[in-house]
Amino acid sequence: FRKPYKENFKRTDPESIVLSEEQQKAFDGISKLCEDKKGSTALLFGVTGSGKTQVFLKLVDSVIDSGKGVIVMVPEISLTPQTLSLFGERYGNRIAVFHSAMSQGQRMDEWKRVKNGQAVVAIGTRSAVFAPMDNIGLIVMDEEQEHTYKSEQSPRFHARNVAKFRVNYHNALLLLASATPSMESYFAAENGKYGRHKLTNRYGGAQLPDVTTVDMKSEIFSGNSGCISRRLADELD
């Protein structure tokens, strides 16, 4: 098979993931939805650096152990290598990748590896949602609010809608992960349509930076017609 990546990942015994109390609570809630086998959707809403990846990595472990496949989507091709490295070190050559920078031959070979069961984790951009898995247990959409999950070319589709259809068909779970979820997903979670799990603490006790909002109209009225506020210019200096 023609591989779209240079690394030859070797499967090792992955280290067990140790979660914080808050992460464990989110994992237990999401895991229960996954075990219900009702084609559910859950929103993992966590601040930047709260360890959302650790939560869904442990979830991926449990789904694979149950003999089912997993699809993990990222919004940009630039994020694919780091995600590939993360999953490759954990699952070895049982991963497949899908994105638009691959050749047709590479796409076909990765498609075959998923179809025949050699790859149990499909990673990629929105096209990964069509990975030919016969027994899906989990679909993860990281940074689910990004507009790149929506295809503007024919056939037009939104990866989130396709993912919902597939988890309903396979009685699986769709996990939407974001620090800034889309209005639609947040509204659905607030109204009980989606499972809602929140992470409010940054991993390792790290602190979020202070944020100051500057009214740029007042900057214009005071004589600053540039795109950088005087406050920002002072801080940069």
Side-chain angles (χ1 to χ4, degrees):
F1 290 118
R2 291 156 287 193
K3 291 184 178 179
Y5 48 88
K6 295 179 181 178
E7 299 89 341
N8 185 27
F9 296 113
K10 293 182 180 178
R11 187 185 174 192
T12 57
D13 292 328
E15 295 181 4
S16 59
I17 297 171
V18 179
L19 302 178
S20 67
E21 184 178 344
E22 185 181 49
Q23 289 172 322
Q24 186 65 46
K25 184 179 178 182
F27 169 78
D28 290 341
I30 297 168
S31 185
K32 187 176 184 303
L33 284 174
C34 204
E35 291 168 2
D36 286 344
K37 299 178 181 179
K38 293 181 179 179
S40 306
T41 301
L43 173 65
L44 181 59
F45 178 23
V47 296
T48 304
S50 59
K52 294 185 292 295
T53 303
Q54 295 299 100
V55 174
F56 67 68
L57 263 179
K58 190 165 185 177
L59 195 63
V60 169
D61 282 349
S62 63
V63 171
I64 290 176
D65 288 342
S66 70
K68 295 184 177 182
V70 177
I71 296 173
V72 179
M73 288 183 283
V74 292
E76 299 284 351
I77 294 175
S78 60
L79 294 173
T80 305
Q82 67 188 54
T83 308
L84 193 64
S85 176
L86 178 67
F87 281 83
E89 290 172 3
R90 194 164 188 84
Y91 306 111
N93 288 323
R94 294 189 300 166
I95 61 173
V97 62
F98 297 91
H99 56 72
S100 59
M102 294 162 58
S103 68
Q104 292 287 357
Q106 288 171 336
R107 291 190 203 189
M108 174 57 75
D109 285 357
E110 292 294 86
W111 191 93
K112 287 178 181 177
R113 290 181 62 241
V114 173
K115 185 67 177 174
N116 65 25
Q118 285 181 257
V120 294
V121 181
I123 300 166
T125 50
R126 63 178 178 247
S127 60
V129 77
F130 297 108
M133 287 184 177
D134 295 325
N135 191 12
I136 297 173
L138 174 69
I139 298 178
V140 178
M141 281 186 69
D142 199 16
E143 303 297 339
E144 66 88 23
Q145 80 284 354
E146 291 293 338
H147 72 279
T148 49
Y149 284 121
K150 186 176 181 180
S151 174
E152 299 293 349
Q153 297 176 339
S154 183
R156 290 177 173 84
F157 69 93
H158 198 302
R160 184 174 59 218
N161 296 336
V162 178
K164 284 180 185 177
F165 179 88
R166 297 203 73 184
V167 297
N168 284 327
Y169 184 85
H170 290 271
N171 293 319
L173 174 69
L174 169 60
L175 180 61
L176 308 173
S178 178
T180 53
S182 63
M183 287 186 290
E184 302 96 318
S185 297
Y186 188 80
F187 181 80
E190 286 290 298
N191 286 274
K193 189 176 179 181
Y194 294 172
R196 180 175 178 270
H197 305 276
K198 197 169 183 179
L199 299 176
T200 56
N201 300 311
R202 299 192 84 189
Y203 191 75
Q207 298 296 314
L208 285 167
D210 292 329
V211 177
T212 302
T213 303
V214 178
D215 183 357
M216 294 304 290
K217 283 189 176 180
S218 64
E219 291 283 307
I220 294 172
F221 292 144
S222 61
N224 176 20
S225 60
C227 60
I228 295 178
S229 69
R230 284 172 294 186
R231 171 70 186 276
L232 178 56
D234 291 343
E235 295 292 343
L236 288 171
D237 288 338

